[in-house]
Amino acid sequence: MSKPFSRLPLSVVPSHYAIRLKPDLVKHTFTGQVTVKLEVKEPVSSIVCNASELELQSASVQTESTTLSPTISLSEDEETVTLSLGQQLAPGHATVTYQFTGTLNDKMRGFYRSKYTIDGVEKFAAVTQFEATDARRAFPCWDEPAVKATFDLTIVGPKDRVILSNMPEIENKDDPVDSTYKVVSFATTPIMSTYLVAIVVGEFDYIEGKSEEGVTVRVYSPIGKKEQGTFALECAVRSLTFYSKFFDVPYPLTKYDMIAIPDFSSGAMENWGLVTYRETCILVDPLNTSQSSKQWVAIVVCHETAHQWFGNLVTMEWWTHLWLNEGFASFMENLTTDVLYPEYKIWDQFVPNTLIEALMLDSLDSSHPIEADVGHPSEVDEIFDNISYNKGASVIRMLYDWIGDAAFKTGMNRYLTKYSYKNTETPQLWAELESASGLPVTSVMKTWTEQMGFPCISVTTQQEVSNRVLTLTQSKFVADGREEGENGSRWQIPISITSSGKEVTKIMMNQELQETMVTLANVSPNDWVKLNPGVVGFYRVNYGSADLARLCDAVKAKSLPAVDRLNILDDLFSLISAGKAKTSDGLRLLESYKEEESYIVWNNISQAIGSLSVVIADQEFYSDWERFVLDLFSGIKKSVKWDPVEGESHLDTLLRALVITRLGKAGDQEVRQEAKRRFDLHASGGAKISPDIRSAVYTCVASMGQEDDYNTMLRLHEEEELHEEKERLARSGLAAFSSKPILAKTLELSLSSSVRSQDSVHMISSVAHNRKGRDLTWQFFKDNFVLLSERYQSGFLLSRLVKSCS
């Protein structure tokens, strides 16, 4: 049940903040003062704004004619501070000043501390993370995305620390109170939301570049690791230029900083001009970073750079429209990465990694519409999920394909230009894209954003001489197989249809009609017919047995692209799970993939095997299941080598690790023995394992469950400095053992001082996904619930943990 909530009154709103903060990096506290220029819209006797976990020493209100000393009352439940003025304040201009203190917390939210070590000495940085509603933990403010203002920031910190904020530094002078401190002032920000304000005080190196447009770009990294920022710098410089040209709207600031933070709850945060990152999402070690991790850095950097326009320049009016930020940034990250690094074949990977993930979540009763009503701030974290990000990106990709690149660019330019420095809701975006394309964007897209779920298209066909007549019927796809009936959900669906060697036919399936007929000319009785070529549409397809048999032959002959071969398999097995198709059809189709060579197809098969392995972990026939897996992978095993082959593609590199992992888990002794040989050499200081297969080797060794190997991995984990490698050892190694007593040790380790709070959740979740660790993790979660909920409070890390363990 939602908590009662009302947004801040708009009778008084800010136009400018002057903020001065002084963090104490030893005592983990900070002192602050904020002076806010206000516009009083109507007579008021009180001023209400947001504040949480702050101690307010004083507040004063000034007008042209008087200075007031109001009564201060704080509400931690409402996260507000109310100033009772004792008299009426007339409409016009006023200024309010707050003096306050706070704690540099260890919760990775608000103004917090982040631990790092230099030459064996433990130190702390001060860092901000304000999205969604945590600016109020650093200074009193109107902490709602639609209440925009400009900001002047002045930060007082030790002279030997780097001090950064959203804008360029304009003054750096000695602190007159303490000669070991400096006072750094920054240029005034553009009009922006409070959640985008950023401050970092710590020790960092940096490398620098410039975009075509003359924007200075820097990547800040831990001391001694600046070369690890080289790839992210390249991504940022190139993506800034790409977006400036794509949107035909220039980047509005003069600098673009990106910084690696040792303790960070999410992957990254798009603070305007100062983007903060988890180390694994920005640092690339040429000797130790895998290709999959490097690809992830490119994707995350492109995502955050997209936000500089979509989210920062134009911002959602309220968190209900979060998907306007995240769905679009998730779509643009793929579009941009594909242009900058075509060798990644990112759109092929988009289908299993993004679209299918969204389909899985959206088929559950626990899903929600893309536009989910959000009230109380505690509810906001709940919608940072695969619906806002992945379904949002998927339906935008479908829209982009439907209206075309030119209309999309024109609409986006008009939208970003018209609403620069303002706030919007979803209909305003649809209006601009509709105007640019001349197509009914609003009526079509409302069916995708305002209702949860997605359609399944059932296809029946009839041969009429040289034509194939298709009857398409839409119904909501539900994971448990329930039918909604005639009055169930309906969509406006852009449908694409292809057949053997023919042009693609496109139609719009009407929301008002449950059934649509399509005639394909010149299709012979033996020709296959497939809906959703390229898997651009956000729907599943249920074929009749004859059409499925023809598609089986096309899969076996590889006459369909890899992404379509993957799609046929994924749709059918989802239908089988829902009780809408025969298991025998699925097994028959699976046989068609024995000679498959595509990474994305095997990745999908592997994910399905992994999910099913956890479900049937305790069944007597599990050993038969492992033999089935080994047989299924026997063909691809022959073609995959342990070491890189000259000229191999990026996806071939990813395939190697996937095949080794799956065979090792299923008990292939040859693979396990080779993995153990390589691991022993690596651990003893001999030949290093290629970073592209390290995770796979760790998993193979762990699956044998030997305590000596566990202790060796534990030693490597404790000695390792590179965050990426530490995560590999934790998630693919320590959490992958088949011994329950060993897994219990890993769970205990996850909450120890050896593991950062940001990484504990991933470590626990990895044990939960281990078939031997499922029940252990659930009990561990219950036993430590108080500690976990206190550590992560209501943040999305806690909700992610709940999903993994339950």
Side-chain angles (χ1 to χ4, degrees):
M1 184 176 173
S2 297
K3 294 182 181 179
F5 171 74
S6 59
R7 288 165 67 171
L8 292 173
L10 295 180
S11 47
V12 179
V13 293
S15 60
H16 178 75
Y17 293 82
I19 302 165
R20 182 186 176 98
L21 293 171
K22 182 179 181 179
D24 187 322
L25 301 177
V26 176
K27 294 179 180 177
H28 307 317
T29 58
F30 63 91
T31 57
Q33 174 183 299
V34 58
T35 299
V36 190
K37 291 180 181 178
L38 303 173
E39 295 177 20
V40 182
K41 303 285 192 181
E42 57 189 62
V44 294
S45 57
S46 64
I47 296 172
V48 183
C49 73
N50 294 114
S52 181
E53 299 173 6
L54 297 174
E55 290 186 19
L56 269 67
Q57 280 76 45
S58 66
S60 62
V61 178
Q62 286 186 308
T63 65
E64 290 180 2
S65 58
T66 185
T67 298
L68 304 175
S69 298
T71 303
I72 303 170
S73 55
L74 284 159
S75 169
E76 276 303 330
D77 284 344
E78 297 297 324
E79 300 185 348
T80 57
V81 56
T82 301
L83 304 183
S84 300
L85 305 176
Q87 66 180 65
Q88 198 109 90
L89 199 62
H93 298 290
T95 301
V96 60
T97 299
Y98 300 91
Q99 303 277 352
F100 55 92
T101 57
T103 300
L104 289 173
N105 68 70
D106 60 356
K107 311 296 183 194
M108 295 179 288
R109 61 194 301 211
F111 201 13
Y112 72 93
R113 63 185 187 265
S114 177
K115 184 170 67 176
Y116 61 99
T117 303
I118 294 182
D119 297 330
V121 179
E122 190 177 273
K123 298 185 177 185
F124 290 89
V127 184
T128 55
Q129 168 57 39
F130 289 163
E131 189 180 28
T133 57
D134 290 323
R136 65 193 66 180
R137 287 174 168 77
F139 55 93
C141 57
W142 281 253
D143 202 11
E144 298 182 355
V147 189
K148 289 189 170 186
T150 54
F151 296 82
D152 282 332
L153 282 111
T154 299
I155 309 300
V156 184
K159 283 184 175 178
D160 62 350
R161 299 297 194 269
V162 172
I163 299 178
L164 301 171
S165 189
N166 305 79
M167 301 298 289
E169 178 185 303
I170 55 171
E171 186 178 58
N172 187 327
K173 62 184 181 181
D174 289 349
D175 182 2
V177 178
D178 186 340
S179 61
T180 65
Y181 274 63
K182 60 186 175 182
V183 181
V184 181
S185 299
F186 297 91
T188 304
T189 71
I191 297 169
M192 67 185 207
S193 305
T194 50
Y195 79 88
L196 294 170
V197 174
I199 302 155
V200 176
V201 181
E203 295 177 85
F204 301 92
D205 282 339
Y206 72 86
I207 55 172
E208 180 178 300
K210 258 192 171 30
S211 73
E212 273 184 31
E213 305 75 31
V215 177
T216 300
V217 183
R218 287 180 176 178
V219 176
Y220 288 84
S221 54
I223 296 291
K225 296 182 179 179
K226 66 181 182 181
E227 74 286 346
Q228 294 181 17
T230 303
F231 179 67
L233 179 66
E234 174 195 302
C235 292
V237 167
R238 295 179 69 192
S239 60
L240 271 176
T241 296
F242 175 82
Y243 288 126
S244 295
K245 293 177 178 178
F246 187 91
F247 297 132
D248 196 19
V249 174
Y251 174 70
L253 308 185
T254 58
K255 66 106 169 169
Y256 186 51
D257 291 340
M258 308 193 300
I259 185 165
I261 303 299
D263 297 287
F264 200 75
S265 59
S266 60
M269 173 61 210
E270 66 266 20
N271 317 297
W272 217 353
L274 177 56
V275 183
T276 43
Y277 287 83
R278 182 180 284 240
E279 289 186 5
T280 52
C281 296
I282 188 171
L283 300 182
V284 171
D285 180 339
L287 297 177
N288 293 292
T289 292
S290 66
Q291 286 300 306
S292 59
S293 295
K294 189 175 180 180
Q295 174 184 297
W296 181 238
V297 168
I299 288 170
V300 177
V301 170
C302 290
H303 179 102
E304 303 310 321
T305 308
H307 273 310
Q308 305 304 301
W309 285 263
F310 224 99
N312 298 6
L313 182 62
V314 180
T315 311
M316 76 253 145
E317 196 277 336
W318 184 245
W319 300 106
T320 295
H321 304 279
L322 173 72
W323 89 281
L324 278 177
N325 276 17
E326 300 304 345
F328 262 84
S330 297
F331 169 72
M332 291 304 302
E333 81 189 24
N334 287 279
L335 184 75
T336 310
T337 303
D338 185 56
V339 171
L340 302 186
Y341 303 101
E343 67 272 18
Y344 291 170
K345 297 191 181 299
I346 213 70
W347 283 123
D348 282 358
Q349 295 189 65
F350 178 90
V351 174
N353 296 343
T354 301
L355 186 141
I356 288 174
E357 288 290 318
L359 289 173
M360 288 169 62
L361 180 57
D362 206 26
S363 66
L364 305 175
D365 288 339
S366 56
S367 184
H368 61 81
I370 284 177
E371 293 184 80
D373 287 334
V374 174
H376 196 278
S378 64
E379 299 170 13
V380 175
D381 285 331
E382 296 172 19
I383 60 167
F384 281 84
D385 63 6
N386 277 352
I387 298 300
S388 295
Y389 284 77
N390 294 358
K391 183 179 180 181
S394 298
V395 300
I396 292 160
R397 179 174 176 242
M398 181 169 66
L399 165 69
Y400 173 82
D401 182 74
W402 171 45
I403 70 173
D405 179 76
F408 186 83
K409 283 181 179 175
T410 300
M412 294 305 302
N413 169 263
R414 291 176 183 173
Y415 173 80
L416 290 168
T417 303
K418 185 174 183 178
Y419 297 108
S420 288
Y421 308 105
K422 297 175 185 173
N423 298 80
T424 60
E425 297 180 352
T426 304
Q428 290 160 302
L429 174 62
W430 296 155
E432 298 306 321
L433 291 170
E434 185 162 308
S435 171
S437 65
L439 294 168
V441 171
T442 302
S443 61
V444 170
M445 296 310 293
K446 280 176 70 171
T447 69
W448 294 96
T449 63
E450 294 182 4
Q451 60 182 345
M452 64 183 258
F454 59 89
C456 178
I457 312 297
S458 295
V459 186
T460 58
T461 62
Q462 185 174 336
Q463 192 71 27
E464 294 186 357
V465 193
S466 61
N467 297 335
R468 187 83 57 85
V469 179
L470 282 64
T471 302
L472 311 181
T473 308
Q474 68 161 297
S475 59
K476 182 179 179 181
F477 181 88
V478 184
D480 64 10
R482 281 179 297 108
E483 298 282 355
E484 280 201 331
E486 289 188 12
N487 297 318
S489 305
R490 296 280 186 275
W491 288 262
Q492 294 279 106
I493 314 170
I495 299 280
S496 296
I497 309 168
T498 188
S499 60
S500 310
K502 305 294 190 304
E503 292 289 318
V504 173
T505 299
K506 295 192 173 188
I507 64 161
M508 180 63 71
M509 197 166 180
N510 196 313
Q511 183 182 20
E512 304 302 320
L513 302 175
Q514 189 173 358
E515 195 171 276
T516 301
M517 296 189 74
V518 183
T519 299
L520 301 180
N522 301 316
V523 176
S524 74
N526 294 323
D527 285 346
W528 51 263
V529 170
K530 184 185 183 296
L531 272 66
N532 205 9
V535 203
V536 174
F538 195 74
Y539 54 85
R540 293 201 182 280
V541 182
N542 189 358
Y543 297 97
S545 56
D547 285 302
L548 187 60
R550 284 189 282 264
L551 286 169
C552 274
D553 292 339
V555 167
K556 195 176 292 185
K558 297 191 182 71
S559 53
L560 284 164
V563 73
D564 290 300
R565 302 198 298 270
L566 153 66
N567 177 227
I568 293 164
L569 180 72
D570 186 67
D571 278 354
L572 181 58
F573 273 84
S574 297
L575 288 160
I576 291 168
S577 294
K580 299 292 184 183
K582 298 174 185 175
T583 306
S584 56
D585 284 342
L587 294 174
R588 195 173 300 116
L589 176 62
L590 210 50
E591 286 292 314
S592 303
Y593 292 86
K594 288 190 77 171
E595 302 303 318
E596 182 59 62
E597 297 171 346
S598 165
Y599 163 73
I600 62 164
V601 178
W602 279 114
N603 187 36
N604 186 252
I605 293 171
S606 182
Q607 287 174 349
I609 287 170
S611 300
L612 193 52
S613 293
V614 174
V615 173
I616 65 172
D618 300 324
Q619 301 299 316
E620 290 181 5
F621 58 79
Y622 192 82
S623 58
D624 296 328
W625 165 249
E626 288 186 317
R627 281 193 292 275
F628 170 78
V629 172
L630 291 175
D631 180 61
L632 184 63
F633 275 76
S634 60
I636 192 66
K637 177 186 175 182
K638 292 171 188 171
S639 61
V640 168
K641 310 301 180 189
W642 278 88
D643 297 307
V645 177
E646 188 176 347
E648 71 180 11
S649 71
H650 176 72
L651 294 187
D652 287 341
T653 303
L654 302 186
L655 178 63
R656 175 182 301 107
L658 184 149
V659 172
I660 292 170
T661 300
R662 188 50 62 195
L663 288 169
K665 279 187 170 184
D668 185 305
Q669 292 306 311
E670 183 186 355
V671 168
R672 285 183 170 184
Q673 286 167 15
E674 177 60 13
K676 180 70 165 69
R677 185 188 71 80
R678 290 176 180 243
F679 175 73
D680 288 344
L681 272 173
H682 175 86
S684 61
K688 293 298 177 189
I689 303 167
S690 162
D692 292 314
I693 61 167
R694 271 185 214 168
S695 288
V697 168
Y698 296 158
T699 298
C700 291
V701 172
S703 64
M704 294 185 273
Q706 300 301 310
E707 188 145 7
D708 285 350
D709 292 327
Y710 181 83
N711 292 332
T712 300
M713 284 191 196
L714 193 58
R715 172 179 62 79
L716 293 172
H717 181 267
E718 288 171 354
E719 293 171 353
E720 185 57 53
E721 288 187 7
L722 182 68
H723 191 187
E724 177 190 341
E725 180 68 6
K726 226 173 174 62
E727 279 282 86
R728 262 198 294 260
L729 283 158
R731 297 165 71 173
S732 301
L734 300 174
F737 277 77
S738 54
S739 159
K740 289 190 175 185
I742 287 178
L743 291 176
K745 287 183 185 180
T746 300
L747 289 171
E748 292 299 327
L749 176 70
S750 70
L751 296 183
S752 73
S753 59
S754 298
V755 177
R756 292 183 181 274
S757 292
Q758 65 169 14
D759 301 324
S760 300
V761 167
H762 300 298
M763 200 167 184
I764 296 167
S765 298
S766 296
V767 178
H769 290 132
N770 182 331
R771 70 184 187 91
K772 294 288 189 179
R774 183 179 54 180
D775 296 339
L776 273 178
T777 311
W778 175 234
Q779 188 60 50
F780 180 81
F781 177 76
K782 290 188 291 184
D783 292 344
N784 291 278
F785 180 74
V786 173
L787 185 156
L788 290 165
S789 56
E790 168 61 25
R791 177 185 282 195
Y792 300 111
Q793 298 182 351
S794 62
F796 62 85
L797 279 175
L798 184 63
S799 60
R800 182 179 296 171
L801 191 56
V802 171
K803 289 172 188 173
S804 297
C805 296
S806 56

